[in-house]
Amino acid sequence: MGRCPVPYLRRLIQDRNQHPPASLDANPGTAPDLATWPAVGSTRFRRSEATAPIGQGDQVWERATQDVLRWAVKARSGFTVDDARKVTPGSELTITARMAGVTIREPVRVATVVENDTRVGFSYRTLPGHPVTGEEAFIVHRDGDDVFVTVRSLTAPGNEQPWRALYPLLRIAQVIARRRYLRALR
């Protein structure tokens, strides 16, 4: 594509082509350590948060907190995780999705891990080669005896083709995956 002669459109194209994870460093991302996810000013990322009950009691809490820190939300939702050990900040791994005979590799880096008496979970950021750009968090939390899972995500189109062009279809796949995530720890 040649140079765009209209300055406004040129700036929009340049903004779109910037690598969005760099802009994640300027905000709290998915903030898995916080009970309330703070709204950030304008962003290029599509923001999503969903919560579902898992069950009640200490046994449910113990099981769910162990599972969430070992990628069970992804694994039980149809993904393959190349390292199912307990998450650690900075660890890099590849998640694999297989759909309709197509294998999709999703390189990621664990950004934040939180473990306290009422909240356990982590967030990860996408790396180059991932179909989308952004951050996702899986959080198990409790309110009294009730145990919940929350999934938060910030998503933008990936920088590479064919993923950028396929972003509308990837959004549909994300909605389906999110439903599975919310059932994965029951």
Side-chain angles (χ1 to χ4, degrees), residues 16-70:
R16 182 197 72 199
N17 290 334
Q18 285 180 352
H19 191 63
S23 63
L24 273 172
D25 293 329
N27 69 52
T30 53
D33 54 326
L34 301 177
T36 302
W37 190 16
V40 184
S42 71
T43 179
R44 282 186 286 248
F45 295 97
R46 181 179 295 272
R47 179 185 166 107
S48 173
E49 180 176 33
T51 299
I54 297 173
Q56 295 181 318
D58 291 337
Q59 280 186 314
V60 170
W61 171 255
E62 291 300 323
R63 177 190 48 79
T65 58
Q66 295 299 310
D67 288 351
V68 75
L69 293 177
R70 286 179 173 72

Side-chain angles (χ1 to χ4, degrees), residues 126-167:
T126 63
L127 294 174
H130 195 289
V132 298
T133 298
E135 182 173 308
E136 190 162 52
F138 303 117
I139 309 144
V140 173
H141 51 100
R142 65 189 315 175
D143 183 6
D145 208 32
D146 298 324
V147 182
F148 301 89
V149 62
T150 294
V151 178
R152 294 176 178 168
S153 66
L154 293 168
T155 308
N159 289 329
E160 300 173 12
Q161 293 295 356
W163 305 122
R164 181 172 279 288
L166 293 173
Y167 183 68

